[in-house]
Every structure is written in structure tokens, then in C-alpha cells.
Amino acid sequence: MDDTQLLRYSRHLLLNELGPDAQARFAAARALVVGVGGLGNPAAQLLASAGVGRITLVDADLVDLTNLQRQILFAMDDVGTPKVEAAARRLASINPEPVYVRVAKRVGPDELAALASDADVVLDCTDNFATRHAINRACVGARVPLVSGAAIRFDGQVAVFDARDADSPCYHCLFGEGEELEETRCATMGVFAPLVAIVGATQAGEALKILSGIGATLAGRLLLYDALRASWREMKVPRDPACAVCADRR
Ligand SMILES: [Zn+2]
């Protein structure tokens, strides 16, 4: 590390758990962020400012005026610009060291599999079940840890599904696909702006812990936050031995 890097990352380097070795791991790491909206904005910003070496941003959408209430990387000038372009530009202005890969399109199962197998950690910052299940399949297939976040109205969720560990559940163990869960979208239901930052930041924290190998991750646990009551709750997530996605994994 040169002097500028020592200064830039000094507040992490000061932590016993995150010394120069962890910083070197961040610099060598590849993170995949799928969805560059309310969750993906703060998550990507924290990974970028921490010096994660390569950050791949996936989102087909353009920045819209309704995004600016909570998507903290974007400004008025970005309206109409692809989110991945606007986000990468902003992230590079904060930290020019990481490589920012932009994928400005919807990705199918094959592309997700390729993207996941080329990542050390995947952050699911999307807002629909079909994409969440596709990302989960890609992560189980590639044996890459998945940090999943969700936020709607005042309710947030974060979980880690670590496919490297045979005992860890996957997203499908928790949310089966046949269960006709009602799709809830920010566009119709609304979302409390600070909530997405809280959930996205928590996702970034789990990703940095996974990359550096410190602490205990949320693998096997689902963390629920009720922003109206300001209360956190935790649920154990068991592995489903009959899971259609991960059962034949071991
Ligand atoms: Zn499973």
C-alpha cells in the first residue's frame, strides 16, 4: 500500500480485525451487485469506499426522478442515464481504485451463472422473486456466498446464504417458489428511504466480513428490521433437506 492508500483506508486498518491483510483481501476481491437501486446504492458505495478491487454492477434501469428520494448515489443530472453508468461514475469519484464493471441489461440464468462464478461474493439488491431465485441458483451452482437484502414500506430483511458451507441453507430453502408469495414493489407500496440504506449497509457489512473472513456472518439466520418500531428480530433459517436447488449439493 502506498501512503495515499494507508490514509484512505486508515480507519479500517486501525481495527484489529481489519489490518493490512484484510485490506489486501478487499483489493483482490470481486463483488457482484445485482440491482443498483435503494439497496444496491449504499451497498456498492461501502464496498467501493472500502477498496473492494472489482465491483460488477448489474441493472437494466435508467435513473428516474422517483429514485432520488432514497438512491443516494444519484443526482438530478443522472435522470435518464443508465443506473450502472451513473453509479459507476459516482463511485469512481469517491474511490478511483476499484474496477467498476457495468452490466446495463437484464441478465438471464446463463449470464448470472457466469457472473456469479467470477465473483467472491454476490449481493442480491433486487426487488422481485423471479430474479432472487435466479441469483440463488447461480450462487448455489458456483458455490459463492450470497448476501440477500429486501426492503418494503418500513420492513427490511437481510440474510446470508453461504453455498461454500454444506450446512448453510439457500434462499430457496427459506422461500420456496411454489408459495405464491405476493409480490410487493416499492412503486406501489412505497418504502421508507432510511430503511433501504440500513439494509444495504448491513449487506455491505456482511460482504466485507465474508471477504475478510472476520466475525460471524448471517449464514443460517434471517435478520428482520421494523423501522417503525426501531426493532430488530432474528430467525434461524434451517436447511431444507428436500430443497429443489441445494439438496443434491453435498
Ligand atoms: Zn436450498
Side-chain angles (χ1 to χ4, degrees):
M1 264 183 282
D2 62 27
D3 287 352
T4 309
Q5 289 169 318
L6 286 170
L7 281 175
R8 177 184 286 278
Y9 303 119
S10 60
R11 298 316 191 257
H12 267 167
L13 296 170
L14 281 167
L15 297 170
N16 287 336
E17 293 83 353
L18 293 178
D21 289 353
Q23 196 59 52
R25 268 183 235 129
F26 291 160
R30 305 157 299 168
L32 173 63
V33 180
V34 189
V36 187
L39 305 174
N41 271 236
Q45 178 170 345
L46 288 164
L47 297 181
S49 55
V52 171
R54 196 187 73 196
I55 300 169
T56 300
L57 305 165
V58 182
D59 202 305
D61 288 347
L62 308 179
V63 178
D64 183 84
L65 186 60
T66 60
N67 300 149
L68 301 187
Q69 164 249 21
R70 66 197 177 284
Q71 300 185 16
I72 55 176
L73 292 174
F74 304 139
M76 287 292 288
D77 288 351
D78 297 320
V79 171
T81 305
K83 285 188 174 182
V84 296
E85 294 296 338
R89 203 163 47 220
R90 173 80 180 122
L91 295 173
S93 76
I94 295 168
N95 189 355
E97 292 189 350
V99 173
Y100 302 104
V101 180
R102 307 152 170 86
V103 182
K105 58 178 182 180
R106 291 202 172 278
V107 288
D110 292 346
E111 280 166 305
L112 276 174
L115 287 166
S117 65
D118 192 32
D120 300 302
V121 66
V122 175
L123 285 79
D124 181 350
C125 300
T126 64
D127 62 356
N128 71 86
F129 287 115
T131 310
R132 289 184 183 283
H133 281 292
I135 293 168
N136 178 59
R137 278 202 177 77
C139 289
V140 170
R143 285 187 160 76
V144 173
L146 167 62
V147 184
S148 179
I152 194 77
R153 292 187 287 213
F154 292 92
D155 297 316
Q157 298 182 351
V158 192
V160 169
F161 305 102
D162 194 341
R164 299 169 303 176
D165 173 2
D167 294 327
S168 173
C170 80
Y171 182 81
H172 193 278
C173 293
L174 180 60
F175 299 109
E177 271 167 294
E179 292 175 17
E180 292 306 325
L181 284 165
E182 198 183 336
E183 195 103 74
T184 53
R185 300 279 191 106
C186 296
T188 49
M189 309 295 287
V191 65
F192 187 46
L195 175 69
V196 293
I198 291 165
V199 172
T202 307
Q203 288 182 268
E206 291 303 295
L208 292 177
K209 282 161 56 190
I210 288 166
L211 293 175
S212 54
I214 66 165
T217 72
L218 278 170
R221 294 183 287 154
L222 174 67
L223 200 55
L224 301 133
Y225 182 61
D226 176 345
L228 265 187
R229 300 167 59 92
S231 76
W232 293 90
R233 221 154 40 88
E234 185 182 310
M235 273 174 50
K236 279 219 174 309
V237 182
R239 190 162 174 271
D240 175 5
C243 174
V245 175
C246 72
D248 58 1
R249 195 176 69 207
R250 17 180 176 198

